[in-house]
Amino acid sequence: INAEYGGGQQTRSFQFVSDLVEGMYALMNSGDDVTGPINLGNPNEITVKQLAEAINEEINGPGAPLNFEDKPMPSDDPGRRRPDISLAKEVLQWEPKVDLQQGLRKTIAYFKTIVENQKN
């Protein structure tokens, strides 16, 4: 696995699709008094390097080699992304439930099944 740009130090937050669907469902079923944008993201922030390490470990096992190339960050790439979901918690009583490790395991298992089915 190769990770590039900024040495992987930029941060992102990731969300499993079932959490987003539940948040959207809660928003669609909210009252007419709920208007305006409500962020349905995940506030748990990790570096791109940490994400690459977690994926690499899930796929290849602990200690598998991982190469980081420190290329300059593109000028339009934000160094940090962390959504504020306080309004979703307050108005919708919603917050994500699936943590990153669980989501990675489910996603990797899904794609392994697809790859195996394509071989047959």
Side-chain angles (χ1 to χ4, degrees), residues 19-118:
D19 285 334
L20 178 59
V21 169
E22 287 177 15
M24 291 174 69
Y25 185 77
L27 181 58
M28 289 185 295
N29 288 301
S30 62
D32 291 339
D33 59 326
V34 178
T35 61
I38 296 182
N39 200 334
L40 298 176
N42 188 324
N44 296 325
E45 182 180 31
I46 66 167
T47 67
V48 171
K49 182 178 181 180
Q50 289 170 317
L51 176 66
E53 289 169 342
I55 293 169
N56 188 49
E57 187 170 313
E58 279 297 319
I59 293 172
N60 301 312
L66 185 59
N67 179 36
F68 284 93
E69 296 180 26
D70 193 3
K71 295 182 178 180
M73 291 277 291
S75 61
D76 62 346
D77 189 356
R80 183 174 189 199
R81 288 192 182 148
R82 183 174 186 242
D84 176 0
I85 65 164
S86 57
L87 192 57
K89 285 181 176 182
E90 177 187 331
V91 174
L92 305 175
Q93 288 75 53
W94 174 90
E95 63 184 308
K97 297 176 184 147
V98 179
D99 71 23
L100 180 68
Q101 221 45 54
Q102 291 172 311
L104 286 177
R105 286 186 188 118
K106 290 179 180 186
T107 302
I108 291 167
Y110 170 79
F111 282 105
K112 281 183 178 179
T113 300
I114 288 175
V115 170
E116 287 300 317
N117 288 339
Q118 288 177 349

